[in-house]
Amino acid sequence: MARRYDTRTTIFSPEGRLYQVEYAMEAIGHAGTCLGMLASDGVLLAAERKNINKLLDDVIFSEKIYKLDENIACSVAGITSDANVLTSYLRETAQKFRLRYKECIPCEQLVMDLCDIKQMYTQFGGMRPFGVSVLYMGWDPHYGFQLYQSDPSGNYGGWKATCIGSNHAAAVSMLKQEYQETPNLKEALALSVKILYKTLDSTKLNSEKVEIATLTREGSGDKAKTLLRVLTAKEVDDLIADYLRQVEEKKQEKERLEKEKAAAAAAAAKSS
Amino acid sequence: MSILEYNGVGMVAMVGKECVAIAADRRLGIQAQTISTDFQKIFRMNDKLYVGLPGLATDVLSVSAQLRYHLNLFQLKENRDMKPKAFMNMVCIELYKNRFGPYFVEPVVAGLDPKTNEPFIAGMDLIGCPMEADDFIVGGTCTEQLYGMCESLWKPDMEPDDLFETISQALLNAVDRDALSGWGCVVHVIEKDKVTTRTLKARMD
């Protein structure tokens, strides 16, 4: 039944769905996970590296995290070649804005611009949509730190914390419970490691499998600058080690309490 | 009067021992009248690359913004700093694109190679004919005076402090013999680990 309405992007199905767009989102559901989180003093993006083949050449800056301009970076999930085209476009748009207005592009404007392009591919031309979802993190003087997500349909939203790629539904539902009031960057890093650990396919998480980037502001007043940093392998390993240590401590605490309970119960049984 | 002499400028770049220096005056005038004494004509492209734009002031502003646009895109895509020679080539191409309606600037590029720290200076005309030199490059309305000063004062392998003195004297004395340039000078000395920017006390006339 669906077959009749899904070969062209530009037509609706009888149920009012755009199948090609939904198939594109399916494609993204198989790609490496990407997690974004907003903190009070920064934003972070954590991305799963799927291509950890020994034969692959060294990565220069980052496999999945792209710097778009001084104040914005993004991470992608989906078809990498589509993502490359989109990031080139995003970079050009940001620079064109800078040339015209001599200031950095506000985050939402950049996201909107790309989403308008993505939407065109769902309505005109008969070409397939881009199979990419993008998480943007940025800072601008209008709204401070921001996190956005866009998908192949051209929809976008501002988020406090979100996830795209494989197992994103599990991650998002975990975030709903764990992310309460706005954490600071350290807490956000710890929380994101925790979420990734639970949602990633692989059994053990290490710095080879995940890359984390943070966006913060340094300095004050006129001299303030936005700093984009990809965490070193050691820093990521340290975060993971901290998390595992916490898990271990909790486990031991639990065992201790249970032992006490059992002992108390045994003592009560004895005395009665 | 030539359109390149409308606003008035004196600019010079020199090569030293593992360093380069680029200096310019600060006057912005409308023919004989001085409008501003703090007009920026040298622009930082990255830590080791500066470009000076002598010529029509409006084109100085436009070309510097355009160069920033191209350089930023390059650095984002390639994830590395642009080499001075490649930057010079890019400026030449961009200027030639407007061969029959040119920008009225004659850029001076000064920098160190990002990896080897080899000094590099170059100048070009308004339609992008490049000229690399291993001693000095001059630009602006007082080039004749600057050629004379540089030819007499420059010597190879000067240390940064010596280079600063030499380039300052060359510029100060040359602009003093030109009505359209002067009113203060700015000097950038680019070494492999730092850039020192100094403003010179000059004749304010």
Side-chain angles (χ1 to χ4, degrees):
Chain A
M1 178 58 182
R3 293 290 153 149
R4 289 170 61 195
Y5 303 99
D6 66 2
T7 46
R8 289 179 31 209
T9 56
T10 53
I11 54 177
F12 280 105
S13 79
E15 301 103 53
R17 293 157 69 174
L18 289 168
Y19 278 114
Q20 280 300 315
V21 174
E22 293 184 15
Y23 295 162
M25 307 220 218
E26 259 302 301
I28 296 164
H30 299 305
T33 314
C34 243
L35 180 85
M37 207 178 291
L38 197 61
S40 57
D41 54 342
V43 201
L44 74 87
L45 287 176
E48 175 198 357
R49 269 197 211 130
K50 272 228 153 146
N51 302 334
I52 34 172
N53 194 330
K54 257 197 296 193
L55 295 173
L56 266 181
D57 205 353
D58 286 328
V59 162
I60 8 167
F61 174 65
S62 163
E63 188 187 295
K64 286 189 66 156
I65 300 187
Y66 299 84
K67 178 173 176 184
L68 300 177
D69 195 1
E70 290 304 316
N71 59 323
I72 312 186
C74 75
S75 182
V76 295
I79 304 174
T80 315
S81 43
D82 287 5
N84 285 337
V85 168
L86 290 180
T87 44
S88 290
Y89 179 82
L90 283 164
R91 283 170 172 162
E92 260 194 60
T93 309
Q95 288 307 312
K96 280 194 189 137
F97 187 95
R98 226 180 233 278
L99 179 62
R100 200 181 167 92
Y101 299 104
K102 260 213 161 101
E103 59 175 47
C104 57
I105 187 168
C107 304
E108 193 170 347
Q109 264 200 42
L110 186 59
V111 177
M112 273 198 284
D113 211 277
L114 187 74
C115 286
D116 287 345
I117 302 286
K118 282 197 197 182
Q119 187 276 342
M120 277 206 298
Y121 283 78
T122 68
Q123 198 177 16
F124 310 106
M127 290 186 276
R128 67 165 176 83
F130 288 99
V132 187
S133 269
V134 190
L135 282 183
Y136 311 77
M137 64 174 179
W139 184 94
D140 64 41
H142 312 287
Y143 293 110
F145 291 110
Q146 295 152 73
L147 175 70
Y148 292 96
Q149 178 194 333
S150 72
D151 60 26
S153 65
N155 272 330
Y156 74 90
W159 293 82
K160 293 186 192 150
T162 185
C163 189
I164 51 178
S166 48
N167 294 332
H168 67 273
V172 169
S173 63
M174 233 185 279
L175 280 168
K176 256 195 233 170
Q177 295 184 326
E178 308 265 352
Y179 185 99
Q180 269 125 28
E181 33 175 279
T182 318
N184 65 33
L185 198 59
K186 262 184 87 174
E187 294 165 352
L189 281 164
L191 181 57
S192 53
V193 166
K194 178 177 175 183
I195 307 262
L196 277 175
Y197 205 92
K198 295 202 173 144
T199 57
L200 245 46
D201 279 337
S202 35
T203 41
K204 282 203 81 175
L205 190 66
N206 57 33
S207 57
E208 263 190 23
K209 297 213 182 81
V210 69
E211 50 189 6
I212 307 186
T214 57
L215 189 111
T216 46
R217 289 281 287 178
E218 307 262 304
S220 58
D222 281 344
K223 298 265 172 80
K225 280 189 71 156
T226 312
L227 191 66
L228 170 71
R229 210 171 68 85
V230 176
L231 268 56
T232 60
K234 182 171 180 310
E235 285 171 317
V236 178
D237 279 329
D238 284 345
L239 281 169
I240 298 173
D242 279 343
Y243 167 67
L244 290 174
R245 202 178 332 124
Q246 271 192 353
V247 167
E248 189 58 36
E249 280 174 5
K250 276 214 183 98
K251 203 167 85 166
Q252 286 185 347
E253 180 72 19
K254 204 171 151 201
E255 282 175 6
R256 195 178 61 82
L257 281 172
E258 278 183 0
K259 265 198 197 148
E260 279 182 4
K261 249 199 198 160
K270 242 189 181 176
S271 61
S272 66
Chain B
M1 140 197 283
S2 158
I3 188 68
L4 283 167
E5 292 164 14
Y6 191 71
N7 295 122
V9 57
M11 189 167 304
V12 58
M14 278 192 187
V15 168
K17 192 176 167 85
E18 289 167 10
C19 60
V20 287
I22 182 168
D25 71 328
R26 305 181 75 197
R27 177 181 180 271
L28 171 71
I30 298 186
Q31 294 188 306
Q33 185 187 22
T34 302
I35 304 292
S36 160
T37 59
D38 61 1
F39 186 65
Q40 186 188 7
K41 301 167 196 179
I42 300 180
F43 300 91
R44 176 190 170 279
M45 291 289 121
N46 67 44
D47 279 338
K48 293 185 187 169
L49 181 61
Y50 280 67
V51 67
L53 297 166
L56 195 61
T58 174
D59 289 346
V60 168
L61 299 172
S62 303
V63 172
S64 65
Q66 277 223 356
L67 294 178
R68 176 142 299 291
Y69 170 88
H70 289 296
L71 185 94
N72 279 354
L73 276 177
F74 177 95
Q75 288 185 170
L76 281 169
K77 263 197 199 139
E78 302 263 330
N79 198 35
R80 63 182 172 92
D81 287 340
M82 211 185 210
K83 277 199 271 223
K85 187 158 180 173
F87 181 75
M88 176 197 81
N89 264 308
M90 185 189 76
V91 182
C92 291
I93 300 272
E94 291 301 317
L95 290 175
Y96 195 85
K97 279 187 180 159
N98 294 321
R99 170 67 175 80
F100 299 108
Y103 284 116
F104 294 105
V105 286
E106 304 200 312
V108 173
V109 177
L112 302 173
D113 184 294
K115 286 229 168 84
T116 65
N117 291 315
E118 200 189 310
F120 178 89
I121 53 170
M124 62 203 80
D125 70 4
L126 76 173
I127 45 174
C129 173
M131 183 175 80
E132 286 175 49
D134 51 13
D135 42 17
F136 50 85
I137 294 280
V138 300
T141 50
C142 52
T143 46
E144 301 298 316
Q145 296 91 324
L146 279 165
Y147 274 126
M149 287 303 310
C150 291
E151 201 62 59
S152 0
L153 295 182
W154 187 86
K155 50 187 201 290
D157 287 331
M158 282 187 279
E159 293 294 325
D161 287 334
D162 201 3
L163 184 67
F164 165 70
E165 289 297 334
T166 311
I167 199 175
S168 307
Q169 286 304 317
L171 186 62
L172 279 171
N173 292 299
V175 302
D176 282 348
R177 280 281 185 182
D178 177 26
L180 297 172
S181 48
W183 286 88
C185 294
V186 99
V187 184
H188 303 275
V189 180
I190 306 159
E191 301 167 60
K192 65 173 187 262
D193 49 357
K194 64 177 167 91
V195 172
T196 325
T197 303
R198 298 181 182 93
T199 330
L200 305 179
K201 197 165 126 178
R203 279 185 68 101
M204 301 304 268
D205 62 0

